């Protein structure tokens, strides 16, 4: 399953990815890794970086085992930076080393 994304942006503005710095992206990925590793199905993690105006919401929908035997989870990840909002639906699968990889 490939990741799907919905982006809402005001006219004439840069996409949200361009507005995020390296530490913003690291914080967003750390929150995702935490949610995938620690939260149960149906639970939502809400996080924010107040100083940067970045906030996110990660909801885990369901867990399953894929055809390679990995534990996978359906994830809905919404985040906003100022007027920009983006929602991504994807699958995260636990790799043999314990890390999570995303499809798409």
């Amino acid at each position: 399953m490939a990741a799907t994304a919905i982006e809402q942006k005001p006219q004439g503005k840069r996409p949200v990815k361009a507005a995020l710095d390296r530490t913003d992206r690291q914080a967003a990925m750390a929150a995702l890794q935490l949610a995938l590793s620690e939260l149960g199905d149906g639970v939502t993690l809400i996080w924010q970086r107040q100083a940067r105006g970045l906030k996110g919401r990660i909801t885990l929908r369901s867990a399953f085992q894929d055809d390679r035997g990995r534990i996978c989870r359906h994830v809905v990840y919404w985040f906003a930076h100022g007027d920009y909002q983006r929602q991504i639906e994807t699958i995260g699968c636990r790799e043999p080393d314990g890390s999570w990889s995303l499809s798409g």
Side-chain angles (χ1 to χ4, degrees):
M1 174 185 219
T4 59
I6 301 167
E7 185 171 355
Q8 301 169 349
K9 59 185 177 183
Q11 283 282 18
K13 301 263 184 160
R14 297 181 300 162
V16 68
K17 187 173 182 180
L20 302 180
D21 69 15
R22 180 183 51 80
T23 61
D24 292 333
R25 290 187 290 277
Q26 287 174 337
M29 289 307 295
L32 179 59
Q33 293 288 320
L34 175 70
L36 286 165
S37 296
E38 302 294 330
L39 302 180
D41 290 349
V43 176
T44 298
L45 172 71
I46 298 172
W47 64 275
Q48 66 179 348
R49 295 190 75 197
Q50 263 184 334
R52 296 275 300 146
L54 180 65
K55 57 187 171 184
R57 182 175 61 237
I58 303 166
T59 303
L60 303 172
R61 299 282 185 208
S62 59
F64 60 95
Q65 193 168 19
D66 73 0
D67 57 357
R68 292 172 41 194
R70 300 178 301 175
I71 300 299
C72 298
R73 307 195 69 188
H74 178 222
V75 180
V76 178
Y77 197 156
W78 172 90
F79 62 94
H81 183 267
D83 292 338
Y84 296 99
Q85 296 181 29
R86 184 172 176 108
Q87 180 172 302
I88 301 167
E89 293 187 40
T90 192
I91 301 294
C93 294
R94 186 179 289 274
E95 298 299 333
D97 67 1
S99 67
W100 290 89
S101 63
L102 301 178
S103 61

